[in-house]
Amino acid sequence: MMKKKILIRFGDMMLKGKNIGFFIKRVRKHLVEKLKDLQVSYQFTHDRIYVDYQVDDEIDIINRLSQIPGIYSYSVVYVSNPNIEDMIKTAVHVLNVEATKAMMHIKIETKRADKDFPMTSQDITLMIANPIFQQANLKYTIDVKHPEETLRIELRKDFAYVYLRNHKGLGGFPYGTQGRGLLMLSGGIDSPVAGFLAMKQGIEVDLIHFDSSPLTPLESTQKVIDLAKVLSKYTLDGKIKLHLVPFTELHELILKNVFDPYIITVMRRMMYRIAEKFAIRNKHLCLINGESVGQVASQTLPSMQVVEAVTKLPILRPLITYDKLDIIKISEHIGSYPISIQPFNDCCSIYVPKSPVTKPMEVYAKKYEATFEFEDMIYQLVRNSYTLEISSDTHIDLSSYGFTLKEAMTTYQKESDVI
Ligand code: ATP
Ligand code: MG
């Protein structure tokens, strides 16, 4: 069996001038944490990481790499002795194992990190190309201008690396290097995807969900917990904080007091007000949500303007210009889709006004809000919220604990340690 390693590269991050050192350290830390239960060892160079591993773990390692923000690409490289004969042998092996079809247009590219090697990179390529193509099982065509694949050979002092493929990593920036944000997480398709995109871009994310049980079934909050598990894969320590806000009382007040077309507008203004309180307390620099322009009445530009007028925090909307189909693709990719499409309503879909305004005016929103006392209630809701720390091995089944968030949480708290 030929010896292999995984070579990891950093992308955009490398443009970051004096922050590079800090950024790369962060990715290293994340990687070491992610693989801590496996038998691996590392070589860290200034711009790459090599992972030495047990062959059995390869797929597992690759899966985990794809959850680390800041990794731009990686390759499985075959390790050869640094002499012509062995490099040819290894290259033939790589083609036999990895190349997928005959007559493929291939280029060979040699790089020489060991400048003492007595031949130039080009001379090496010329010398090994013919023997490689002659000995490989399939026949290939050399094409240096428009190759379908490039066989790369990196020659170092003590060994050479030979490989065919670059796999794309998550990209973005190392987790947490861009500050903290609070994601408004519903049980729908969009918000988990928005959260994933923010996390991949280096924002450390906490989650907030507004629960309206028993107006909405507790299963919709269970969906949120399950979605939080999905998102926890991308954090540095595999844990993510979820604030559950008991929103029911305020929800009922809104339904009772607000003119039908303005219900969603006012409800969303309340959510932003509450989220802002959490954000300030926990040093979040922004709120993040899954809105996409034009998707529903509450996501027109005039709606967004009236809703976000209640907070000074920047609102990040990673999906703002995405088509639904593209959002679904990402949600399938990260594994949130099957959870999101389970048929339980969250608080914005349980009560859909007959004709929601698409161009609300803030004066009216304020007028309806002035008809009931909400400030104190908001403070109370914040105080009565529950915070869970979710990881991929969290097991909570809310519906087995009761019908309301309070019931469920009281039982759950008795059984475990809620913060
Ligand atoms: P999603 O698929 O994310 O639910 P949506 O298209 O259904 O989005 P809305 O229901 O209008 O849109 O919600 C817009 C955004 O508001 C959501 O993406 C989410 O970020 C936030 N949001 C909605 N309901 C809740 C809730 N109950 N708790 C927390 N955030 C919410
Ligand atoms: Mg929704």
PDB file of all heavy atoms in Angstrom, residues 19-40:
ATOM      1  N   ASN A  19      -2.534  39.640   9.013  1.00  0.00           N
ATOM      2  CA  ASN A  19      -3.373  38.742   9.810  1.00  0.00           C
ATOM      3  C   ASN A  19      -3.139  37.264   9.533  1.00  0.00           C
ATOM      4  O   ASN A  19      -3.657  36.401  10.228  1.00  0.00           O
ATOM      5  CB  ASN A  19      -4.854  39.023   9.548  1.00  0.00           C
ATOM      6  CG  ASN A  19      -5.326  40.217  10.346  1.00  0.00           C
ATOM      7  OD1 ASN A  19      -4.740  40.525  11.381  1.00  0.00           O
ATOM      8  ND2 ASN A  19      -6.340  40.884   9.860  1.00  0.00           N
ATOM      9  N   ILE A  20      -2.362  36.971   8.477  1.00  0.00           N
ATOM     10  CA  ILE A  20      -2.219  35.577   8.049  1.00  0.00           C
ATOM     11  C   ILE A  20      -1.868  34.646   9.198  1.00  0.00           C
ATOM     12  O   ILE A  20      -2.509  33.623   9.387  1.00  0.00           O
ATOM     13  CB  ILE A  20      -1.112  35.436   6.979  1.00  0.00           C
ATOM     14  CG1 ILE A  20      -1.596  36.044   5.673  1.00  0.00           C
ATOM     15  CG2 ILE A  20      -0.772  33.981   6.738  1.00  0.00           C
ATOM     16  CD1 ILE A  20      -0.565  35.932   4.586  1.00  0.00           C
ATOM     17  N   GLY A  21      -0.859  35.042   9.960  1.00  0.00           N
ATOM     18  CA  GLY A  21      -0.379  34.181  11.036  1.00  0.00           C
ATOM     19  C   GLY A  21      -1.505  33.812  11.975  1.00  0.00           C
ATOM     20  O   GLY A  21      -1.734  32.637  12.273  1.00  0.00           O
ATOM     21  N   PHE A  22      -2.264  34.812  12.373  1.00  0.00           N
ATOM     22  CA  PHE A  22      -3.381  34.607  13.295  1.00  0.00           C
ATOM     23  C   PHE A  22      -4.446  33.693  12.676  1.00  0.00           C
ATOM     24  O   PHE A  22      -4.950  32.758  13.303  1.00  0.00           O
ATOM     25  CB  PHE A  22      -3.965  35.977  13.647  1.00  0.00           C
ATOM     26  CG  PHE A  22      -5.274  35.935  14.346  1.00  0.00           C
ATOM     27  CD1 PHE A  22      -5.378  35.375  15.617  1.00  0.00           C
ATOM     28  CD2 PHE A  22      -6.412  36.462  13.752  1.00  0.00           C
ATOM     29  CE1 PHE A  22      -6.596  35.332  16.278  1.00  0.00           C
ATOM     30  CE2 PHE A  22      -7.634  36.425  14.398  1.00  0.00           C
ATOM     31  CZ  PHE A  22      -7.725  35.860  15.666  1.00  0.00           C
ATOM     32  N   PHE A  23      -4.753  33.947  11.412  1.00  0.00           N
ATOM     33  CA  PHE A  23      -5.782  33.169  10.725  1.00  0.00           C
ATOM     34  C   PHE A  23      -5.370  31.704  10.609  1.00  0.00           C
ATOM     35  O   PHE A  23      -6.154  30.797  10.861  1.00  0.00           O
ATOM     36  CB  PHE A  23      -6.035  33.748   9.328  1.00  0.00           C
ATOM     37  CG  PHE A  23      -6.992  34.909   9.339  1.00  0.00           C
ATOM     38  CD1 PHE A  23      -6.959  35.828  10.364  1.00  0.00           C
ATOM     39  CD2 PHE A  23      -7.927  35.060   8.339  1.00  0.00           C
ATOM     40  CE1 PHE A  23      -7.844  36.899  10.397  1.00  0.00           C
ATOM     41  CE2 PHE A  23      -8.818  36.123   8.351  1.00  0.00           C
ATOM     42  CZ  PHE A  23      -8.775  37.043   9.379  1.00  0.00           C
ATOM     43  N   ILE A  24      -4.129  31.499  10.203  1.00  0.00           N
ATOM     44  CA  ILE A  24      -3.686  30.119   9.997  1.00  0.00           C
ATOM     45  C   ILE A  24      -3.660  29.363  11.321  1.00  0.00           C
ATOM     46  O   ILE A  24      -4.056  28.204  11.393  1.00  0.00           O
ATOM     47  CB  ILE A  24      -2.325  30.107   9.289  1.00  0.00           C
ATOM     48  CG1 ILE A  24      -2.549  30.532   7.839  1.00  0.00           C
ATOM     49  CG2 ILE A  24      -1.680  28.724   9.337  1.00  0.00           C
ATOM     50  CD1 ILE A  24      -1.322  30.569   6.993  1.00  0.00           C
ATOM     51  N   LYS A  25      -3.259  30.049  12.375  1.00  0.00           N
ATOM     52  CA  LYS A  25      -3.274  29.415  13.694  1.00  0.00           C
ATOM     53  C   LYS A  25      -4.682  28.953  14.041  1.00  0.00           C
ATOM     54  O   LYS A  25      -4.897  27.900  14.624  1.00  0.00           O
ATOM     55  CB  LYS A  25      -2.813  30.425  14.747  1.00  0.00           C
ATOM     56  CG  LYS A  25      -1.433  30.120  15.272  1.00  0.00           C
ATOM     57  CD  LYS A  25      -1.164  30.912  16.526  1.00  0.00           C
ATOM     58  CE  LYS A  25       0.279  31.327  16.559  1.00  0.00           C
ATOM     59  NZ  LYS A  25       0.510  32.593  17.217  1.00  0.00           N
ATOM     60  N   ARG A  26      -5.683  29.790  13.672  1.00  0.00           N
ATOM     61  CA  ARG A  26      -7.066  29.465  13.987  1.00  0.00           C
ATOM     62  C   ARG A  26      -7.523  28.200  13.244  1.00  0.00           C
ATOM     63  O   ARG A  26      -8.192  27.336  13.789  1.00  0.00           O
ATOM     64  CB  ARG A  26      -7.967  30.602  13.557  1.00  0.00           C
ATOM     65  CG  ARG A  26      -8.573  31.473  14.626  1.00  0.00           C
ATOM     66  CD  ARG A  26      -8.842  30.765  15.889  1.00  0.00           C
ATOM     67  NE  ARG A  26     -10.224  30.918  16.283  1.00  0.00           N
ATOM     68  CZ  ARG A  26     -10.685  31.960  16.960  1.00  0.00           C
ATOM     69  NH1 ARG A  26      -9.892  32.922  17.349  1.00  0.00           N
ATOM     70  NH2 ARG A  26     -11.960  32.026  17.275  1.00  0.00           N
ATOM     71  N   VAL A  27      -7.148  28.098  11.969  1.00  0.00           N
ATOM     72  CA  VAL A  27      -7.537  26.912  11.198  1.00  0.00           C
ATOM     73  C   VAL A  27      -6.849  25.674  11.772  1.00  0.00           C
ATOM     74  O   VAL A  27      -7.462  24.614  11.904  1.00  0.00           O
ATOM     75  CB  VAL A  27      -7.189  27.058   9.704  1.00  0.00           C
ATOM     76  CG1 VAL A  27      -7.556  25.788   8.949  1.00  0.00           C
ATOM     77  CG2 VAL A  27      -7.933  28.221   9.098  1.00  0.00           C
ATOM     78  N   ARG A  28      -5.579  25.829  12.130  1.00  0.00           N
ATOM     79  CA  ARG A  28      -4.862  24.698  12.735  1.00  0.00           C
ATOM     80  C   ARG A  28      -5.582  24.205  13.976  1.00  0.00           C
ATOM     81  O   ARG A  28      -5.790  23.027  14.167  1.00  0.00           O
ATOM     82  CB  ARG A  28      -3.460  25.141  13.176  1.00  0.00           C
ATOM     83  CG  ARG A  28      -2.491  25.265  12.059  1.00  0.00           C
ATOM     84  CD  ARG A  28      -1.154  25.583  12.662  1.00  0.00           C
ATOM     85  NE  ARG A  28      -0.240  26.039  11.648  1.00  0.00           N
ATOM     86  CZ  ARG A  28       0.964  26.532  11.905  1.00  0.00           C
ATOM     87  NH1 ARG A  28       1.392  26.635  13.143  1.00  0.00           N
ATOM     88  NH2 ARG A  28       1.741  26.903  10.914  1.00  0.00           N
ATOM     89  N   LYS A  29      -5.950  25.175  14.807  1.00  0.00           N
ATOM     90  CA  LYS A  29      -6.612  24.831  16.063  1.00  0.00           C
ATOM     91  C   LYS A  29      -7.921  24.077  15.772  1.00  0.00           C
ATOM     92  O   LYS A  29      -8.241  23.064  16.404  1.00  0.00           O
ATOM     93  CB  LYS A  29      -6.899  26.122  16.827  1.00  0.00           C
ATOM     94  CG  LYS A  29      -7.279  25.905  18.252  1.00  0.00           C
ATOM     95  CD  LYS A  29      -7.367  27.233  18.982  1.00  0.00           C
ATOM     96  CE  LYS A  29      -8.194  27.026  20.236  1.00  0.00           C
ATOM     97  NZ  LYS A  29      -8.556  28.271  20.881  1.00  0.00           N
ATOM     98  N   HIS A  30      -8.657  24.590  14.793  1.00  0.00           N
ATOM     99  CA  HIS A  30      -9.936  23.978  14.433  1.00  0.00           C
ATOM    100  C   HIS A  30      -9.715  22.546  13.932  1.00  0.00           C
ATOM    101  O   HIS A  30     -10.422  21.610  14.317  1.00  0.00           O
ATOM    102  CB  HIS A  30     -10.617  24.829  13.349  1.00  0.00           C
ATOM    103  CG  HIS A  30     -12.095  24.628  13.263  1.00  0.00           C
ATOM    104  ND1 HIS A  30     -12.955  25.572  12.768  1.00  0.00           N
ATOM    105  CD2 HIS A  30     -12.876  23.583  13.613  1.00  0.00           C
ATOM    106  CE1 HIS A  30     -14.193  25.105  12.810  1.00  0.00           C
ATOM    107  NE2 HIS A  30     -14.169  23.892  13.319  1.00  0.00           N
ATOM    108  N   LEU A  31      -8.697  22.394  13.087  1.00  0.00           N
ATOM    109  CA  LEU A  31      -8.395  21.083  12.517  1.00  0.00           C
ATOM    110  C   LEU A  31      -8.010  20.081  13.608  1.00  0.00           C
ATOM    111  O   LEU A  31      -8.532  18.955  13.651  1.00  0.00           O
ATOM    112  CB  LEU A  31      -7.247  21.227  11.510  1.00  0.00           C
ATOM    113  CG  LEU A  31      -6.786  19.944  10.832  1.00  0.00           C
ATOM    114  CD1 LEU A  31      -7.848  19.443   9.869  1.00  0.00           C
ATOM    115  CD2 LEU A  31      -5.476  20.170  10.069  1.00  0.00           C
ATOM    116  N   VAL A  32      -7.132  20.512  14.481  1.00  0.00           N
ATOM    117  CA  VAL A  32      -6.661  19.620  15.539  1.00  0.00           C
ATOM    118  C   VAL A  32      -7.830  19.206  16.432  1.00  0.00           C
ATOM    119  O   VAL A  32      -7.979  18.045  16.811  1.00  0.00           O
ATOM    120  CB  VAL A  32      -5.538  20.301  16.365  1.00  0.00           C
ATOM    121  CG1 VAL A  32      -5.192  19.482  17.589  1.00  0.00           C
ATOM    122  CG2 VAL A  32      -4.308  20.519  15.493  1.00  0.00           C
ATOM    123  N   GLU A  33      -8.718  20.167  16.719  1.00  0.00           N
ATOM    124  CA  GLU A  33      -9.908  19.877  17.525  1.00  0.00           C
ATOM    125  C   GLU A  33     -10.826  18.884  16.794  1.00  0.00           C
ATOM    126  O   GLU A  33     -11.314  17.924  17.378  1.00  0.00           O
ATOM    127  CB  GLU A  33     -10.631  21.212  17.775  1.00  0.00           C
ATOM    128  CG  GLU A  33     -11.888  21.141  18.589  1.00  0.00           C
ATOM    129  CD  GLU A  33     -11.654  20.800  20.058  1.00  0.00           C
ATOM    130  OE1 GLU A  33     -10.583  21.167  20.572  1.00  0.00           O
ATOM    131  OE2 GLU A  33     -12.540  20.152  20.648  1.00  0.00           O
ATOM    132  N   LYS A  34     -11.021  19.106  15.502  1.00  0.00           N
ATOM    133  CA  LYS A  34     -11.918  18.270  14.697  1.00  0.00           C
ATOM    134  C   LYS A  34     -11.448  16.818  14.596  1.00  0.00           C
ATOM    135  O   LYS A  34     -12.238  15.905  14.494  1.00  0.00           O
ATOM    136  CB  LYS A  34     -11.941  18.820  13.280  1.00  0.00           C
ATOM    137  CG  LYS A  34     -13.125  19.523  12.709  1.00  0.00           C
ATOM    138  CD  LYS A  34     -14.424  19.002  12.921  1.00  0.00           C
ATOM    139  CE  LYS A  34     -15.536  19.517  12.099  1.00  0.00           C
ATOM    140  NZ  LYS A  34     -16.786  19.586  12.789  1.00  0.00           N
ATOM    141  N   LEU A  35     -10.112  16.643  14.561  1.00  0.00           N
ATOM    142  CA  LEU A  35      -9.580  15.294  14.346  1.00  0.00           C
ATOM    143  C   LEU A  35      -9.041  14.677  15.636  1.00  0.00           C
ATOM    144  O   LEU A  35      -8.317  13.695  15.597  1.00  0.00           O
ATOM    145  CB  LEU A  35      -8.454  15.330  13.293  1.00  0.00           C
ATOM    146  CG  LEU A  35      -8.785  15.959  11.934  1.00  0.00           C
ATOM    147  CD1 LEU A  35      -7.595  15.823  10.976  1.00  0.00           C
ATOM    148  CD2 LEU A  35     -10.022  15.329  11.305  1.00  0.00           C
ATOM    149  N   LYS A  36      -9.406  15.275  16.781  1.00  0.00           N
ATOM    150  CA  LYS A  36      -8.710  14.892  18.015  1.00  0.00           C
ATOM    151  C   LYS A  36      -8.906  13.428  18.403  1.00  0.00           C
ATOM    152  O   LYS A  36      -8.084  12.877  19.112  1.00  0.00           O
ATOM    153  CB  LYS A  36      -9.078  15.820  19.170  1.00  0.00           C
ATOM    154  CG  LYS A  36     -10.491  15.699  19.659  1.00  0.00           C
ATOM    155  CD  LYS A  36     -10.746  16.673  20.799  1.00  0.00           C
ATOM    156  CE  LYS A  36     -12.218  16.599  21.169  1.00  0.00           C
ATOM    157  NZ  LYS A  36     -12.674  17.745  21.922  1.00  0.00           N
ATOM    158  N   ASP A  37      -9.991  12.803  17.943  1.00  0.00           N
ATOM    159  CA  ASP A  37     -10.192  11.398  18.317  1.00  0.00           C
ATOM    160  C   ASP A  37      -9.586  10.424  17.303  1.00  0.00           C
ATOM    161  O   ASP A  37      -9.787   9.227  17.396  1.00  0.00           O
ATOM    162  CB  ASP A  37     -11.695  11.127  18.465  1.00  0.00           C
ATOM    163  CG  ASP A  37     -12.457  11.428  17.182  1.00  0.00           C
ATOM    164  OD1 ASP A  37     -12.108  12.429  16.509  1.00  0.00           O
ATOM    165  OD2 ASP A  37     -13.367  10.660  16.833  1.00  0.00           O
ATOM    166  N   LEU A  38      -8.852  10.940  16.322  1.00  0.00           N
ATOM    167  CA  LEU A  38      -8.257  10.054  15.311  1.00  0.00           C
ATOM    168  C   LEU A  38      -6.744   9.992  15.482  1.00  0.00           C
ATOM    169  O   LEU A  38      -6.146  10.891  16.069  1.00  0.00           O
ATOM    170  CB  LEU A  38      -8.586  10.571  13.906  1.00  0.00           C
ATOM    171  CG  LEU A  38     -10.070  10.657  13.561  1.00  0.00           C
ATOM    172  CD1 LEU A  38     -10.255  11.263  12.178  1.00  0.00           C
ATOM    173  CD2 LEU A  38     -10.716   9.284  13.628  1.00  0.00           C
ATOM    174  N   GLN A  39      -6.170   8.935  14.932  1.00  0.00           N
ATOM    175  CA  GLN A  39      -4.708   8.821  15.017  1.00  0.00           C
ATOM    176  C   GLN A  39      -4.065   9.547  13.851  1.00  0.00           C
ATOM    177  O   GLN A  39      -3.876   8.980  12.778  1.00  0.00           O
ATOM    178  CB  GLN A  39      -4.324   7.342  14.949  1.00  0.00           C
ATOM    179  CG  GLN A  39      -4.312   6.699  16.304  1.00  0.00           C
ATOM    180  CD  GLN A  39      -3.543   5.396  16.260  1.00  0.00           C
ATOM    181  OE1 GLN A  39      -2.955   5.036  15.239  1.00  0.00           O
ATOM    182  NE2 GLN A  39      -3.546   4.681  17.347  1.00  0.00           N
ATOM    183  N   VAL A  40      -3.750  10.825  14.076  1.00  0.00           N
ATOM    184  CA  VAL A  40      -3.153  11.620  12.997  1.00  0.00           C
ATOM    185  C   VAL A  40      -1.960  12.377  13.546  1.00  0.00           C
ATOM    186  O   VAL A  40      -1.834  12.573  14.746  1.00  0.00           O
ATOM    187  CB  VAL A  40      -4.160  12.652  12.436  1.00  0.00           C
ATOM    188  CG1 VAL A  40      -5.291  11.977  11.696  1.00  0.00           C
ATOM    189  CG2 VAL A  40      -4.707  13.528  13.545  1.00  0.00           C
TER     190      VAL A  40
END
